[in-house]
Amino acid sequence: LIEVAGWRLLTDPTFDPPGRRYGFGFGSASTKLAGPSRPSAALGHVDAVLLSHDHHADNLDDAGRALLADVPTVVTTTSGARRLAAPNVRGLRPWQTTTLSAPGLPSLEITATPCRHGPPASRPIVGDVIGFAIRVVGSDRTAVWVSGDSVLYRGLREVADKLTVDVAVLHLGGVQFGITGGIRYSMTASEAITLIGLLNPRVAVPVHFDGWSHFREGEDRIRTRFLSAPHDIQSKVVWVPLDGSVALAD
């Protein structure tokens, strides 16, 4: 849950209880090991959901899907918008932008950023994914960038070239499935270190690395890897405690 300029934005909502095994396509599957830190009913008002992709349950499960109907705006991929087929859903391709407006709040510009949720040429298998650059209209920098599920590749390096980012929210976990062996589907801590160096945000927040059986790098391993990073990169990393909040205002 991201609060910026008075807006309350929820990313990739998953609120099912733990224990269920979900298929991810082509024989891959993952078990949900931990439930949400709080139920969706306890979140309060949500202005918009930023949904990196709708077709994997660790980004949108059944309870998260039910939440979408109660949110004024959902921003996701163009293919996801077609599948969700609801009037409150907006679909974006990478580098397309939409604007969120509401009475009493500054307008927010939401720009979709590139993702590749696996190795080269994996898109036909894993589907479309996007990240999100959130900018208060009138500002010269991106307030928050959410990477989305992606390995480090040319598209993320393009983000580092194009955007000046204050807070970077990085999806990690080094996802792997037994059926595809050593192939990875999200960033490792080592890749995150490289990306933070390229992006040079003021703050980097690791997320999306635990609670499911397909994550291969949890918090302990990520923290250990970060200890090997240069101090100027280590000093940017902020951990958000489970069911806690952190103020990241400049």
Side-chain angles (χ1 to χ4, degrees), residues 4-207:
V4 54
W7 290 83
R8 304 184 85 239
L9 310 173
L10 187 65
T11 67
D12 289 354
T14 58
F15 291 98
D16 286 356
R20 179 176 163 189
R21 190 163 178 82
Y22 299 79
F24 283 66
F26 295 91
S28 61
S30 181
T31 300
K32 189 168 188 179
L33 303 176
S37 60
R38 65 179 72 178
S40 59
L43 288 177
H45 177 72
V46 173
D47 294 295
V49 166
L50 306 182
L51 178 60
S52 66
H53 54 304
D54 68 302
H55 53 282
H56 291 158
D58 62 323
N59 302 90
L60 185 70
D61 60 15
D62 291 346
R65 192 175 297 269
L67 172 75
L68 300 184
D70 298 325
V71 176
T73 305
V74 178
V75 184
T76 190
T77 61
T78 54
S79 56
R82 289 193 296 270
R83 285 187 291 267
L84 294 170
N88 64 334
V89 179
R90 307 180 191 180
L92 298 179
R93 295 188 299 273
W95 298 117
Q96 283 190 318
T97 294
T98 191
T99 300
L100 304 182
S101 300
L105 295 175
S107 294
L108 286 188
E109 185 181 86
I110 308 296
T111 300
T113 58
C115 288
R116 197 184 76 200
H117 199 1
S122 61
R123 179 181 169 187
I125 298 173
V126 299
D128 296 328
V129 183
I130 53 174
F132 300 98
I134 304 164
R135 184 179 71 88
V136 179
V137 171
S139 173
D140 61 355
R141 64 180 178 174
T142 297
V144 180
W145 174 56
V146 183
S147 73
D149 288 3
S150 181
V151 296
L152 180 60
Y153 81 115
R154 177 183 54 79
L156 294 195
R157 295 175 187 273
E158 186 179 1
V159 172
D161 290 338
K162 287 188 173 184
L163 301 182
T164 300
V165 173
D166 186 37
V167 177
V169 179
L170 305 179
H171 288 212
L172 304 184
V175 165
Q176 292 178 319
F177 297 98
I179 195 168
T180 53
I183 294 174
R184 286 188 299 97
Y185 298 91
S186 67
M187 274 190 288
T188 64
S190 295
E191 288 178 318
I193 290 169
T194 299
L195 182 58
I196 293 168
L198 295 171
L199 195 66
N200 193 30
R202 181 176 60 86
V203 175
V205 181
V207 299

Side-chain angles (χ1 to χ4, degrees), residues 227-241:
L227 289 176
S228 67
H231 177 73
D232 63 329
I233 291 178
Q234 290 186 45
S235 65
K236 296 178 183 295
V237 178
V238 173
W239 295 85
V240 179

